[in-house]
Amino acid sequence: LKTKYKFLIKTGSGTNTGTNANVFFKLYGSAGFWNQTELKVDTKSVAANGYKFAPDSVVEVNLVGPVIGDLKRLKIWVP
């Protein structure tokens, strides 16, 4: 089974709070987990300054993935 997920990523407003790095996540739920996946930003969402995740902004990422039940834990990292 697959389901839709919407991620809203809010960055801070201070110095060095945006990134152009590849950001990954893993979701853990009551019925399973979603293994390592990249938060791929649509090229239309990339800020004028070239950031995937610009300072002081909210980026929406929509993905389809496995049904994991109730969310228990979220791990986010940049390799």
Side-chain angles (χ1 to χ4, degrees):
L1 284 170
K2 298 280 185 180
T3 192
K4 295 178 182 177
Y5 292 90
K6 176 167 52 172
F7 297 87
L8 297 173
I9 300 94
K10 168 86 174 101
T11 57
S13 59
T15 304
N16 298 321
T17 57
T19 186
N20 204 29
N22 297 326
V23 177
F24 291 84
F25 73 91
K26 185 172 183 177
L27 298 178
Y28 301 85
S30 58
F33 64 91
W34 188 358
N35 213 353
Q36 178 178 327
T37 304
E38 183 177 355
L39 283 170
K40 293 189 179 191
V41 177
D42 186 321
T43 54
K44 295 175 189 170
S45 300
V46 174
N49 59 11
Y51 280 110
K52 291 180 186 176
F53 302 97
D56 196 28
S57 67
V58 176
V59 175
E60 181 177 319
V61 178
N62 294 289
L63 299 171
V64 175
V67 174
I68 62 164
D70 294 333
L71 182 63
K72 299 297 183 185
R73 188 171 77 160
L74 165 65
K75 178 181 176 183
I76 300 175
W77 72 96
V78 176

